[in-house]
Amino acid sequence: EEITSLEIGASVSIIEEWALSGMDALESITVASENPYYYVVNNLLADNRINEFILGCKNSMIPDDGSVQVFSLKVFDWNAVRMRKNRQ
C-alpha cells in the first residue's frame, strides 16, 4: 500500500537523510503544531534548525513571494522531480 499522507508528530526531532525518499503517492504533509523542529508550508516539509525545505510531495507548491530560498537536495529526489514535471 502506498503512503498518501505523512504526519510528523510533536516528539519527532530527527528525520534521517533520505528516510522519506521514494514516496511516489505522497499528497500531503502535516506537522504537529507543538513540534519545534519541523514545519510545513504549502506541503513542503522544512527543518526549522537549518531553515531548509527537506521534502516535497505531489501537491507541494513553491511560494512565489521570495520566502523560499534554500532547498535540500532531498526535496528534488527522482519522484519529486517526476511529479513536478507531470504537473506542467
Side-chain angles (χ1 to χ4, degrees):
E1 184 174 319
E2 293 189 8
I3 297 171
T4 58
S5 64
L6 176 66
E7 298 177 18
I8 308 293
S11 63
V12 175
S13 61
I14 295 175
I15 298 174
E16 294 293 332
E17 186 173 355
W18 299 105
L20 303 174
S21 180
M23 294 184 164
D24 293 350
L26 191 61
E27 296 175 0
S28 67
I29 304 168
T30 58
V31 174
S33 60
E34 303 84 16
N35 188 311
Y37 306 108
Y38 297 98
Y39 65 97
V40 172
V41 174
N42 295 339
N43 275 311
L44 288 166
L45 178 62
D47 188 322
N48 205 26
R49 294 161 290 198
I50 57 175
N51 222 14
E52 190 172 292
F53 287 94
I54 61 172
L55 180 69
C57 68
K58 285 182 179 181
N59 297 320
S60 295
M61 297 293 295
I62 298 171
D64 59 2
D65 62 2
S67 62
V68 177
Q69 297 187 9
V70 179
F71 286 87
S72 165
L73 290 176
K74 294 177 290 212
V75 163
F76 298 110
D77 75 5
W78 169 247
N79 297 316
V81 170
R82 190 178 77 237
M83 285 183 264
R84 283 179 180 79
K85 283 183 180 177
N86 290 339
R87 263 205 266 149
Q88 296 176 350

Coordinates of all heavy atoms in Angstrom, one line a residue:
E1 N 0.8 -1.2 0.0 CA 0.0 0.0 0.0 C 0.9 1.2 0.0 O 1.8 1.3 0.8 CB -0.9 0.0 1.2 CG -1.9 1.1 1.3 CD -2.8 1.0 2.4 OE1 -3.3 -0.1 2.7 OE2 -3.1 2.0 3.0
E2 N 0.6 2.2 -0.9 CA 1.4 3.4 -1.0 C 0.9 4.4 0.1 O -0.2 4.5 0.4 CB 1.3 4.0 -2.4 CG 1.9 3.1 -3.4 CD 2.0 3.7 -4.8 OE1 1.7 4.9 -4.9 OE2 2.4 3.0 -5.7
I3 N 1.9 5.2 0.5 CA 1.6 6.2 1.5 C 1.2 7.5 0.8 O 1.9 8.0 -0.1 CB 2.9 6.5 2.4 CG1 3.2 5.2 3.1 CG2 2.7 7.7 3.3 CD1 4.6 5.3 3.8
T4 N 0.0 8.0 1.2 CA -0.5 9.3 0.6 C -0.4 10.5 1.5 O -0.5 11.6 1.0 CB -2.0 9.1 0.1 OG1 -2.8 8.7 1.2 CG2 -2.1 8.0 -1.0
S5 N -0.3 10.3 2.8 CA -0.2 11.4 3.7 C 0.9 11.1 4.7 O 1.1 9.9 5.1 CB -1.5 11.7 4.3 OG -1.9 10.7 5.1
L6 N 1.5 12.1 5.2 CA 2.6 12.0 6.2 C 2.3 13.0 7.3 O 2.1 14.2 7.0 CB 4.0 12.3 5.5 CG 5.2 12.3 6.5 CD1 5.4 10.9 7.0 CD2 6.4 12.9 5.7
E7 N 2.3 12.5 8.5 CA 2.0 13.3 9.7 C 3.3 13.2 10.6 O 3.6 12.1 11.1 CB 0.8 12.8 10.4 CG -0.5 13.0 9.6 CD -1.7 12.5 10.3 OE1 -1.7 12.3 11.6 OE2 -2.7 12.2 9.6
I8 N 3.9 14.3 10.9 CA 5.1 14.3 11.7 C 4.6 14.7 13.1 O 4.0 15.8 13.3 CB 6.1 15.3 11.2 CG1 6.5 15.1 9.8 CG2 7.4 15.3 12.1 CD1 7.2 13.8 9.5
G9 N 4.8 13.9 14.1 CA 4.3 14.1 15.5 C 5.2 15.2 16.2 O 6.2 15.6 15.8
A10 N 4.6 15.6 17.3 CA 5.3 16.6 18.1 C 6.6 16.2 18.7 O 7.5 17.0 18.9 CB 4.4 17.0 19.3
S11 N 6.9 14.9 18.9 CA 8.1 14.4 19.5 C 9.2 14.1 18.5 O 10.3 13.8 18.9 CB 7.8 13.2 20.4 OG 7.3 12.1 19.6
V12 N 8.9 14.2 17.2 CA 9.9 13.8 16.2 C 10.9 15.0 16.1 O 10.6 16.1 15.9 CB 9.3 13.7 14.8 CG1 10.3 13.4 13.7 CG2 8.3 12.5 14.8
S13 N 12.2 14.6 16.4 CA 13.3 15.6 16.4 C 14.3 15.4 15.3 O 15.0 16.3 15.0 CB 13.9 15.7 17.8 OG 14.5 14.4 18.0
I14 N 14.4 14.2 14.8 CA 15.4 13.9 13.7 C 14.7 13.1 12.6 O 14.1 12.0 12.9 CB 16.6 13.1 14.3 CG1 17.3 14.0 15.3 CG2 17.5 12.7 13.2 CD1 18.5 13.3 16.0
I15 N 14.9 13.5 11.4 CA 14.5 12.7 10.2 C 15.8 12.5 9.4 O 16.4 13.4 8.9 CB 13.4 13.4 9.4 CG1 12.2 13.7 10.2 CG2 13.2 12.6 8.1 CD1 11.1 14.5 9.5
E16 N 16.2 11.2 9.4 CA 17.5 10.9 8.7 C 17.4 11.2 7.2 O 16.4 11.2 6.6 CB 17.8 9.4 8.9 CG 18.1 9.0 10.3 CD 19.4 9.6 10.9 OE1 20.3 9.9 10.1 OE2 19.4 9.8 12.1
E17 N 18.6 11.6 6.7 CA 18.7 11.9 5.3 C 18.2 10.7 4.4 O 18.5 9.6 4.7 CB 20.2 12.1 4.9 CG 20.4 12.6 3.5 CD 21.8 13.0 3.3 OE1 22.6 13.1 4.2 OE2 22.1 13.4 2.1
W18 N 17.4 11.0 3.5 CA 16.7 10.1 2.5 C 15.7 9.2 3.2 O 15.2 8.3 2.5 CB 17.8 9.3 1.7 CG 18.7 10.1 1.0 CD1 20.0 10.4 1.3 CD2 18.4 10.8 -0.2 NE1 20.5 11.3 0.3 CE2 19.6 11.5 -0.6 CE3 17.3 11.0 -1.0 CZ2 19.6 12.3 -1.8 CZ3 17.3 11.8 -2.2 CH2 18.5 12.4 -2.5
A19 N 15.4 9.4 4.4 CA 14.4 8.5 5.1 C 13.0 8.5 4.4 O 12.3 7.6 4.5 CB 14.3 8.8 6.6
L20 N 12.7 9.7 3.8 CA 11.4 9.8 3.2 C 11.4 9.8 1.7 O 10.4 10.1 1.1 CB 10.8 11.2 3.7 CG 10.7 11.3 5.3 CD1 10.2 12.7 5.6 CD2 9.8 10.2 5.8
S21 N 12.5 9.4 1.2 CA 12.7 9.3 -0.3 C 11.8 8.2 -0.9 O 11.6 7.2 -0.3 CB 14.1 9.1 -0.6 OG 14.3 9.1 -2.0
G22 N 11.3 8.5 -2.1 CA 10.6 7.5 -2.9 C 9.2 7.3 -2.6 O 8.6 6.3 -2.9
M23 N 8.6 8.3 -1.9 CA 7.1 8.2 -1.6 C 6.3 8.8 -2.8 O 5.9 9.9 -2.8 CB 6.8 9.0 -0.4 CG 7.4 8.4 0.9 SD 6.9 9.4 2.3 CE 7.3 8.2 3.6
D24 N 6.2 7.9 -3.8 CA 5.5 8.3 -5.1 C 4.1 8.9 -4.9 O 3.7 9.8 -5.7 CB 5.5 7.2 -6.1 CG 6.8 6.7 -6.6 OD1 7.8 7.4 -6.3 OD2 6.9 5.7 -7.2
A25 N 3.4 8.3 -4.0 CA 1.9 8.7 -3.9 C 1.7 9.8 -2.9 O 0.5 10.1 -2.7 CB 1.1 7.4 -3.5
L26 N 2.7 10.3 -2.2 CA 2.5 11.3 -1.2 C 1.8 12.5 -1.7 O 2.3 13.1 -2.7 CB 3.9 11.6 -0.6 CG 3.9 12.4 0.7 CD1 3.2 11.7 1.8 CD2 5.3 12.8 1.1
E27 N 0.7 12.9 -1.0 CA -0.1 14.0 -1.5 C -0.1 15.1 -0.4 O -0.4 16.3 -0.8 CB -1.5 13.6 -1.8 CG -1.6 12.6 -2.9 CD -3.0 12.1 -3.1 OE1 -3.9 12.5 -2.4 OE2 -3.2 11.3 -4.1
S28 N 0.1 14.8 0.8 CA 0.1 15.9 1.9 C 1.0 15.6 3.0 O 1.3 14.4 3.3 CB -1.4 16.0 2.4 OG -1.7 14.8 3.2
I29 N 1.5 16.7 3.6 CA 2.5 16.6 4.7 C 2.0 17.5 5.8 O 1.6 18.7 5.5 CB 3.9 17.0 4.3 CG1 4.4 16.2 3.1 CG2 4.9 16.9 5.4 CD1 5.6 16.8 2.4
T30 N 1.9 17.0 7.0 CA 1.5 17.8 8.1 C 2.5 17.6 9.3 O 3.1 16.6 9.4 CB 0.0 17.6 8.6 OG1 -0.1 16.2 9.0 CG2 -1.0 17.9 7.6
V31 N 2.6 18.6 10.1 CA 3.4 18.6 11.3 C 2.6 19.1 12.5 O 1.9 20.1 12.4 CB 4.7 19.4 11.1 CG1 5.5 19.5 12.4 CG2 5.6 18.9 10.0
A32 N 2.7 18.3 13.6 CA 2.1 18.8 14.8 C 2.5 20.2 15.2 O 3.7 20.5 15.1 CB 2.4 17.8 16.0
S33 N 1.6 21.0 15.6 CA 1.9 22.4 15.9 C 2.8 22.6 17.0 O 3.5 23.6 17.2 CB 0.6 23.2 16.1 OG -0.1 22.6 17.2
E34 N 2.9 21.5 17.9 CA 3.8 21.6 19.0 C 5.3 21.2 18.7 O 6.1 21.2 19.5 CB 3.3 20.6 20.1 CG 1.9 20.9 20.6 CD 0.8 20.2 19.7 OE1 1.2 19.3 18.9 OE2 -0.3 20.7 19.9
N35 N 5.5 20.7 17.5 CA 6.8 20.3 17.1 C 7.7 21.5 16.8 O 7.5 22.3 15.9 CB 6.8 19.4 15.8 CG 8.1 18.8 15.5 OD1 9.1 19.5 15.4 ND2 8.1 17.5 15.2
P36 N 8.8 21.7 17.6 CA 9.7 22.9 17.5 C 10.7 22.7 16.4 O 11.4 23.7 16.0 CB 10.4 23.0 18.8 CG 10.4 21.6 19.3 CD 9.2 20.9 18.8
Y37 N 10.8 21.5 15.8 CA 11.9 21.2 14.8 C 11.5 21.3 13.4 O 12.3 21.6 12.5 CB 12.5 19.8 15.1 CG 12.9 19.7 16.5 CD1 12.2 18.9 17.4 CD2 14.0 20.3 17.0 CE1 12.6 18.7 18.7 CE2 14.4 20.2 18.3 CZ 13.7 19.4 19.2 OH 14.1 19.3 20.5
Y38 N 10.2 20.9 13.1 CA 9.8 20.9 11.7 C 8.5 21.7 11.5 O 7.7 21.8 12.4 CB 9.5 19.4 11.3 CG 10.8 18.6 11.3 CD1 11.1 17.8 12.4 CD2 11.7 18.6 10.3 CE1 12.2 17.0 12.5 CE2 12.9 17.9 10.3 CZ 13.1 17.1 11.4 OH 14.3 16.3 11.5
Y39 N 8.3 22.2 10.3 CA 7.1 22.9 10.0 C 6.8 22.6 8.5 O 7.6 22.2 7.7 CB 7.1 24.4 10.3 CG 8.2 25.1 9.5 CD1 7.8 25.8 8.4 CD2 9.5 25.2 9.9 CE1 8.7 26.6 7.6 CE2 10.4 25.9 9.2 CZ 10.0 26.6 8.0 OH 11.0 27.3 7.3
V40 N 5.5 23.0 8.1 CA 5.1 22.8 6.7 C 4.6 24.1 6.1 O 3.9 24.8 6.8 CB 4.0 21.7 6.6 CG1 3.4 21.6 5.2 CG2 4.5 20.3 7.0
V41 N 5.0 24.4 4.9 CA 4.5 25.5 4.1 C 4.1 24.9 2.7 O 5.0 24.4 2.0 CB 5.5 26.6 4.0 CG1 5.0 27.7 3.0 CG2 5.9 27.2 5.3
N42 N 2.9 25.1 2.3 CA 2.4 24.6 1.0 C 2.8 23.2 0.7 O 3.3 22.8 -0.4 CB 2.9 25.5 -0.1 CG 2.4 26.9 0.0 OD1 1.4 27.2 0.6 ND2 3.1 27.9 -0.6
N43 N 2.7 22.3 1.7 CA 3.0 20.9 1.6 C 4.5 20.7 1.3 O 4.9 19.7 0.7 CB 2.2 20.2 0.5 CG 0.9 19.7 1.0 OD1 0.8 19.0 2.1 ND2 -0.2 20.0 0.3
L44 N 5.4 21.6 1.8 CA 6.8 21.4 1.8 C 7.3 21.3 3.2 O 7.0 22.2 4.0 CB 7.5 22.6 1.1 CG 7.4 22.8 -0.4 CD1 7.8 24.2 -0.8 CD2 8.2 21.7 -1.1
L45 N 7.9 20.2 3.6 CA 8.4 20.0 4.9 C 9.7 20.7 5.1 O 10.6 20.6 4.3 CB 8.6 18.5 5.2 CG 9.2 18.1 6.5 CD1 8.2 18.5 7.6 CD2 9.4 16.6 6.5
A46 N 9.9 21.5 6.2 CA 11.1 22.2 6.5 C 11.6 21.9 7.8 O 10.9 21.6 8.8 CB 10.8 23.7 6.4
D47 N 12.9 22.0 7.9 CA 13.7 21.8 9.2 C 13.9 23.2 9.7 O 14.7 24.0 9.1 CB 15.0 21.0 9.0 CG 15.6 20.7 10.3 OD1 15.6 21.5 11.2 OD2 16.2 19.6 10.3
N48 N 13.3 23.5 10.9 CA 13.4 24.8 11.5 C 14.9 25.2 11.9 O 15.2 26.3 12.0 CB 12.5 24.9 12.7 CG 12.0 26.3 13.0 OD1 12.0 27.1 12.2 ND2 11.7 26.5 14.3
R49 N 15.7 24.2 12.3 CA 17.0 24.4 12.8 C 18.0 24.9 11.7 O 18.9 25.6 11.9 CB 17.6 23.1 13.4 CG 16.8 22.8 14.7 CD 17.0 21.4 15.0 NE 16.4 20.5 14.0 CZ 16.1 19.3 14.2 NH1 16.4 18.7 15.3 NH2 15.4 18.6 13.3
I50 N 17.8 24.4 10.5 CA 18.7 24.8 9.4 C 18.0 25.7 8.3 O 18.6 26.0 7.4 CB 19.3 23.5 8.7 CG1 18.2 22.6 8.1 CG2 20.2 22.8 9.6 CD1 18.7 21.4 7.3
N51 N 16.7 26.0 8.6 CA 15.9 26.9 7.7 C 15.9 26.4 6.3 O 16.2 27.1 5.4 CB 16.4 28.3 7.9 CG 15.3 29.3 7.9 OD1 14.2 28.9 8.1 ND2 15.7 30.5 7.7
E52 N 15.6 25.1 6.1 CA 15.7 24.5 4.8 C 14.6 23.5 4.5 O 14.2 22.8 5.4 CB 17.1 23.7 4.7 CG 17.5 23.2 3.4 CD 18.9 22.6 3.4 OE1 19.8 23.4 3.6 OE2 19.0 21.4 3.3
F53 N 14.0 23.6 3.3 CA 13.0 22.6 3.0 C 13.6 21.3 2.6 O 14.6 21.2 1.9 CB 12.2 23.2 1.8 CG 11.3 24.3 2.2 CD1 11.7 25.6 2.1 CD2 10.0 24.0 2.8 CE1 10.9 26.6 2.5 CE2 9.2 25.0 3.2 CZ 9.6 26.4 3.1
I54 N 13.0 20.2 3.2 CA 13.7 18.9 3.0 C 12.8 17.8 2.3 O 13.3 16.8 2.0 CB 14.1 18.3 4.4 CG1 13.0 18.2 5.3 CG2 15.2 19.2 5.0 CD1 13.3 17.4 6.6
L55 N 11.5 18.1 2.1 CA 10.7 17.1 1.4 C 9.5 17.8 0.8 O 8.9 18.7 1.4 CB 10.2 16.1 2.4 CG 9.2 15.0 1.8 CD1 10.0 14.1 0.9 CD2 8.6 14.2 3.0
G56 N 9.2 17.4 -0.4 CA 8.0 17.9 -1.1 C 7.1 16.7 -1.5 O 7.5 15.5 -1.3
C57 N 6.0 17.0 -2.0 CA 5.1 15.9 -2.5 C 4.3 16.4 -3.7 O 4.6 17.4 -4.2 CB 4.1 15.5 -1.3 SG 2.9 16.8 -0.9
K58 N 3.4 15.5 -4.2 CA 2.6 15.9 -5.4 C 1.9 17.2 -5.3 O 1.9 17.9 -6.3 CB 1.5 14.8 -5.6 CG 1.9 13.5 -6.0 CD 0.6 12.6 -6.2 CE 1.0 11.3 -6.8 NZ -0.2 10.5 -7.0
N59 N 1.4 17.6 -4.2 CA 0.7 18.9 -4.0 C 1.5 20.0 -3.5 O 1.0 21.0 -3.0 CB -0.5 18.6 -3.2 CG -1.5 17.7 -3.9 OD1 -1.7 17.7 -5.1 ND2 -2.1 16.8 -3.1
S60 N 2.8 19.9 -3.4 CA 3.7 21.0 -2.9 C 3.7 22.1 -3.9 O 3.7 21.9 -5.1 CB 5.1 20.5 -2.7 OG 5.2 19.5 -1.7
M61 N 3.7 23.3 -3.4 CA 3.7 24.5 -4.2 C 4.8 25.4 -3.7 O 4.8 25.7 -2.5 CB 2.4 25.3 -4.2 CG 1.2 24.5 -4.7 SD 1.3 24.2 -6.5 CE 1.2 25.8 -7.1
I62 N 5.8 25.7 -4.5 CA 6.8 26.6 -4.1 C 6.3 28.1 -4.1 O 5.8 28.5 -5.1 CB 8.0 26.5 -5.0 CG1 8.6 25.1 -5.0 CG2 9.1 27.5 -4.7 CD1 9.6 24.8 -6.1
P63 N 6.3 28.7 -2.9 CA 5.8 30.1 -2.8 C 6.6 31.0 -3.8 O 7.8 30.9 -4.0 CB 6.0 30.5 -1.4 CG 6.2 29.2 -0.7 CD 6.8 28.2 -1.6
D64 N 5.8 31.9 -4.4 CA 6.5 32.9 -5.3 C 6.7 34.2 -4.7 O 6.9 35.2 -5.4 CB 5.7 33.0 -6.6 CG 4.2 33.5 -6.4 OD1 3.9 33.7 -5.3 OD2 3.5 33.5 -7.4
D65 N 6.6 34.3 -3.3 CA 6.8 35.6 -2.6 C 8.2 35.8 -2.2 O 8.5 36.8 -1.5 CB 5.9 35.6 -1.4 CG 6.1 34.6 -0.4 OD1 7.1 33.8 -0.6 OD2 5.4 34.5 0.6
G66 N 9.2 34.9 -2.6 CA 10.6 35.1 -2.2 C 10.9 34.6 -0.9 O 12.1 34.6 -0.5
S67 N 10.0 34.0 -0.2 CA 10.2 33.5 1.2 C 11.0 32.2 1.2 O 11.6 31.8 2.2 CB 8.9 33.3 2.0 OG 8.1 32.3 1.3
V68 N 11.0 31.4 0.1 CA 11.7 30.2 0.0 C 13.0 30.4 -0.8 O 12.9 30.8 -2.0 CB 10.8 29.1 -0.7 CG1 11.6 27.8 -0.8 CG2 9.6 28.8 0.1
Q69 N 14.1 30.1 -0.2 CA 15.4 30.4 -0.9 C 16.3 29.2 -0.8 O 17.2 29.1 -1.6 CB 16.0 31.6 -0.3 CG 15.2 32.8 -0.5 CD 15.9 34.1 -0.2 OE1 17.1 34.1 0.1 NE2 15.2 35.2 -0.2
V70 N 16.1 28.3 0.1 CA 17.0 27.1 0.3 C 16.3 25.8 0.3 O 15.3 25.7 1.0 CB 17.9 27.2 1.6 CG1 18.8 26.1 1.7 CG2 18.7 28.6 1.6
F71 N 16.7 24.9 -0.6 CA 16.1 23.5 -0.6 C 17.2 22.5 -0.4 O 18.3 22.7 -1.0 CB 15.4 23.3 -2.0 CG 14.2 24.0 -2.1 CD1 14.1 25.3 -2.7 CD2 13.0 23.4 -1.8 CE1 12.9 25.9 -2.8 CE2 11.8 24.0 -2.0 CZ 11.8 25.3 -2.5
S72 N 17.0 21.5 0.3 CA 17.9 20.4 0.4 C 17.8 19.6 -0.9 O 16.8 19.6 -1.6 CB 17.4 19.4 1.6 OG 18.0 18.2 1.5
L73 N 18.8 18.9 -1.3 CA 18.8 18.1 -2.5 C 17.7 17.0 -2.4 O 17.2 16.5 -3.4 CB 20.2 17.4 -2.7 CG 21.3 18.4 -3.1 CD1 22.6 17.6 -3.2 CD2 20.9 19.1 -4.4
K74 N 17.4 16.6 -1.2 CA 16.4 15.5 -1.0 C 15.0 15.9 -1.5 O 14.2 15.1 -1.9 CB 16.3 15.1 0.5 CG 17.5 14.5 1.1 CD 17.4 14.2 2.5 CE 17.4 15.5 3.3 NZ 17.9 15.5 4.6
V75 N 14.7 17.2 -1.4 CA 13.4 17.7 -1.9 C 13.2 17.3 -3.3 O 12.1 17.0 -3.7 CB 13.3 19.2 -1.7 CG1 12.1 19.8 -2.5 CG2 13.1 19.6 -0.2
F76 N 14.2 17.3 -4.1 CA 14.1 17.1 -5.5 C 14.7 15.7 -5.9 O 15.3 15.5 -6.9 CB 14.9 18.2 -6.3 CG 14.3 19.5 -6.1 CD1 15.0 20.5 -5.3 CD2 13.1 19.8 -6.6 CE1 14.4 21.7 -5.1 CE2 12.5 21.1 -6.3 CZ 13.2 22.0 -5.6
D77 N 14.3 14.7 -5.1 CA 14.7 13.3 -5.4 C 13.9 13.0 -6.7 O 13.1 13.7 -7.2 CB 14.5 12.3 -4.3 CG 13.0 11.9 -4.0 OD1 12.1 12.4 -4.8 OD2 12.8 11.2 -3.1
W78 N 14.2 11.8 -7.3 CA 13.6 11.5 -8.6 C 12.1 11.6 -8.6 O 11.5 12.1 -9.5 CB 14.1 10.1 -9.0 CG 13.3 9.6 -10.2 CD1 12.4 8.5 -10.2 CD2 13.3 10.1 -11.5 NE1 11.9 8.4 -11.4 CE2 12.4 9.3 -12.3 CE3 14.0 11.1 -12.1 CZ2 12.2 9.5 -13.6 CZ3 13.8 11.4 -13.5 CH2 12.9 10.6 -14.2
N79 N 11.5 11.1 -7.6 CA 10.0 11.1 -7.5 C 9.4 12.5 -7.5 O 8.5 12.8 -8.2 CB 9.5 10.3 -6.3 CG 9.9 8.8 -6.4 OD1 9.8 8.2 -7.5 ND2 10.5 8.3 -5.3
A80 N 10.0 13.4 -6.7 CA 9.5 14.7 -6.6 C 9.7 15.4 -8.0 O 8.8 16.1 -8.4 CB 10.2 15.5 -5.5
V81 N 10.8 15.2 -8.6 CA 11.0 15.9 -9.9 C 10.0 15.4 -10.9 O 9.5 16.1 -11.7 CB 12.5 15.6 -10.4 CG1 12.7 16.1 -11.8 CG2 13.5 16.4 -9.5
R82 N 9.8 14.0 -10.9 CA 8.8 13.5 -11.9 C 7.4 14.0 -11.7 O 6.7 14.4 -12.6 CB 8.8 12.0 -11.8 CG 8.0 11.3 -12.9 CD 8.0 9.8 -12.8 NE 7.1 9.3 -11.8 CZ 7.5 8.6 -10.8 NH1 8.7 8.1 -10.6 NH2 6.6 8.2 -9.9
M83 N 7.0 14.2 -10.4 CA 5.7 14.7 -10.1 C 5.6 16.1 -10.6 O 4.5 16.5 -11.1 CB 5.4 14.6 -8.6 CG 5.1 13.1 -8.2 SD 4.7 13.0 -6.4 CE 6.3 12.6 -5.8
R84 N 6.6 16.9 -10.4 CA 6.5 18.3 -10.8 C 6.5 18.4 -12.3 O 5.7 19.2 -12.8 CB 7.7 19.1 -10.3 CG 7.6 19.4 -8.8 CD 8.8 20.1 -8.3 NE 8.7 20.4 -6.9 CZ 8.9 19.6 -5.9 NH1 9.2 18.4 -6.1 NH2 8.7 20.0 -4.6
K85 N 7.2 17.6 -13.0 CA 7.1 17.6 -14.5 C 5.7 17.2 -15.0 O 5.2 17.8 -15.9 CB 8.2 16.6 -15.0 CG 9.6 17.1 -15.0 CD 10.5 16.1 -15.7 CE 11.9 16.6 -15.6 NZ 12.8 15.6 -16.2
N86 N 5.1 16.3 -14.3 CA 3.8 15.8 -14.7 C 2.7 16.9 -14.5 O 1.7 16.9 -15.2 CB 3.3 14.6 -13.9 CG 4.1 13.3 -14.3 OD1 4.7 13.3 -15.4 ND2 4.2 12.4 -13.5
R87 N 3.0 17.9 -13.7 CA 2.0 18.9 -13.4 C 2.1 20.0 -14.5 O 1.2 20.8 -14.6 CB 2.2 19.6 -12.1 CG 1.3 19.0 -11.0 CD 1.2 20.0 -9.9 NE 2.1 19.6 -8.9 CZ 2.7 20.5 -8.1 NH1 2.4 21.7 -8.2 NH2 3.5 20.1 -7.2
Q88 N 3.2 20.1 -15.2 CA 3.3 21.2 -16.2 C 2.6 20.9 -17.5 O 2.2 19.9 -17.8 CB 4.8 21.4 -16.5 CG 5.6 21.8 -15.3 CD 7.1 21.9 -15.5 OE1 7.6 21.5 -16.6 NE2 7.8 22.5 -14.6

